[in-house]
């Protein structure tokens, strides 16, 4: 069974976007995928393999704030 997670990501423009992870949503499956280099919003989204389809009962919740001057 997959462990689902909801991810709220704050864009540098201060808007919050909500995404979902449908595979390994455990911290051990998400945290290692967090990029350490300076990436733009879409690169982070791809690195974490975030989806757009809502999940009504996520097992985990993550909030990620991106800072910087990227769009």
């Amino acid at each position: 069974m997959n462990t689902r997670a909801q991810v709220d990501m704050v864009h540098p423009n201060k808007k919050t976007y909500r995404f979902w992870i449908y595979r390994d949503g455990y911290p051990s499956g998400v945290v290692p995928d967090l990029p350490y280099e300076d990436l733009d919003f879409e690169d982070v989204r791809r690195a974490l393999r975030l989806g757009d389809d809502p999940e009504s009962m996520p097992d985990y919740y993550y909030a990620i704030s991106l800072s910087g001057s990227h769009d």
Side-chain angles (χ1 to χ4, degrees):
M1 181 175 194
N2 290 332
T3 304
R4 297 161 308 276
Q6 177 181 316
V7 178
D8 286 348
M9 193 160 47
V10 181
H11 191 281
N13 68 10
K14 306 300 182 213
K15 287 186 181 180
T16 299
Y17 297 89
R18 182 161 288 166
F19 300 104
W20 289 267
I21 296 174
Y22 305 104
R23 49 162 181 69
D24 185 6
Y26 287 109
S28 62
V30 175
V31 174
D33 289 340
L34 289 170
Y36 290 99
E37 63 273 3
D38 188 19
L39 297 177
D40 69 16
F41 185 81
E42 286 301 320
D43 289 336
V44 173
R45 186 175 172 192
R46 280 189 291 277
L48 294 176
R49 298 181 294 281
L50 300 177
D52 291 324
D53 297 325
E55 173 58 52
S56 61
M57 300 279 298
D59 300 300
Y60 285 90
Y61 170 77
Y62 300 94
I64 300 169
S65 179
L66 303 176
S67 62
S69 60
H70 295 286
D71 293 349

